[in-house]
Amino acid sequence: MHKLNVFNTTRYASSIRAELRASHAGETGAVWIYRGILLVNRFKRDSDIQTFAKHHLATEKEHLLQFENLIHRFRGSALLFFWMFAGFMMGALSMLLGKNWVYYTIYKVESFVDVHYRQQINALSKLEFCDKVDILKMMQACNVDEQAHRDEALSAINGEPNLAMRVWGNLVGTGSHCAVVVAKLL
Ligand SMILES: [Fe+2]
Ligand SMILES: [Fe+2]
């Protein structure tokens, strides 16, 4: 990927700022989901979860860094601490409930993120802005990783999700949707 000039101080139009702010918030939340999982796993010591979460965490940190490099062009969400907390709680709680909950949670989150990135790439491709081609490439590369995370989580789920898991999964989906709406504004 062509290196973006991170010193370019161009401030984007508000619709573009909103999209970048939402994705930056989402990648922040993602990092903290895995931190929550890994913290609880210090006590549970599940080696499959350890490998899964550490590998995903490294990818999410890489995604986050790419958005952080551009943050002067859009301003981060005013609720960043809340996204960290929410991500951490989602990860920690799912791990407290069991590894299948972790895989199912990641599957639901990443399924949401995949749709969101695709919609975002589609919306941004219709606009004109500085470094557009590189930013779209960056988002596409992130989305390929998110799809891999989703598929990896799906194949790790053991059996059919029970009713409680499905209710939780719907909550995760709705929560992610609301988070995007709010992060675009604040
Ligand atoms: Fe990500
Ligand atoms: Fe991901």
Side-chain angles (χ1 to χ4, degrees):
M1 185 175 69
H2 168 72
K3 263 258 175 267
L4 286 161
N5 177 8
V6 296
F7 300 109
N8 182 332
T9 53
T10 306
R11 197 158 178 268
Y12 288 136
S14 72
S15 56
I16 299 157
R17 291 205 304 269
E19 294 294 345
L20 288 168
R21 189 179 307 119
S23 284
H24 174 259
E27 297 296 353
T28 303
V31 163
W32 284 84
I33 288 175
Y34 291 110
R35 287 186 170 150
I37 294 168
L38 286 165
L39 182 81
V40 174
N41 201 43
R42 280 181 177 230
F43 305 99
K44 292 210 166 190
R45 295 175 179 273
D46 184 303
S47 62
D48 295 336
I49 288 290
Q50 191 70 15
T51 311
F52 175 89
K54 271 189 115 172
H55 167 234
H56 286 211
L57 175 62
T59 315
E60 301 301 357
K61 278 183 175 174
E62 187 55 43
H63 294 172
L64 179 58
L65 186 66
Q66 295 187 49
F67 284 94
E68 297 257 289
N69 281 338
L70 296 168
I71 204 156
H72 50 290
R73 300 193 198 177
F74 62 88
R75 175 182 71 71
S77 170
L79 301 174
L80 218 49
F81 274 111
F82 178 73
W83 308 132
M84 290 175 181
F85 175 74
F88 182 84
M89 290 309 289
M90 193 190 286
L93 203 64
S94 62
M95 189 59 213
L96 278 171
L97 291 164
K99 68 197 282 184
N100 228 19
W101 286 74
V102 170
Y103 295 137
Y104 189 63
T105 303
I106 298 304
Y107 167 68
K108 293 298 281 188
V109 171
E110 297 290 20
S111 298
F112 172 83
V113 174
D114 170 44
V115 174
H116 175 249
Y117 260 133
R118 282 190 283 127
Q119 285 172 344
Q120 188 169 61
I121 290 163
N122 187 36
L124 289 178
S125 64
K126 293 180 183 137
L127 304 171
E128 281 313 318
F129 53 97
C130 165
D131 288 330
K132 171 180 167 176
V133 173
D134 291 323
I135 286 177
L136 289 179
K137 268 192 207 163
M138 176 187 108
M139 287 178 165
Q140 267 148 2
C142 286
N143 196 29
V144 167
D145 291 337
E146 314 300 8
Q147 289 165 344
H149 288 173
R150 176 201 61 197
D151 296 344
E152 204 187 320
L154 179 63
S155 63
I157 297 171
N158 185 12
E160 285 292 306
N162 59 32
L163 179 65
M165 280 168 76
R166 291 204 303 275
V167 170
W168 166 257
N170 287 339
L171 218 78
V172 166
T174 311
S176 303
H177 176 77
C178 293
V180 166
V181 173
V182 174
K184 278 186 182 179
L185 297 170
L186 292 168

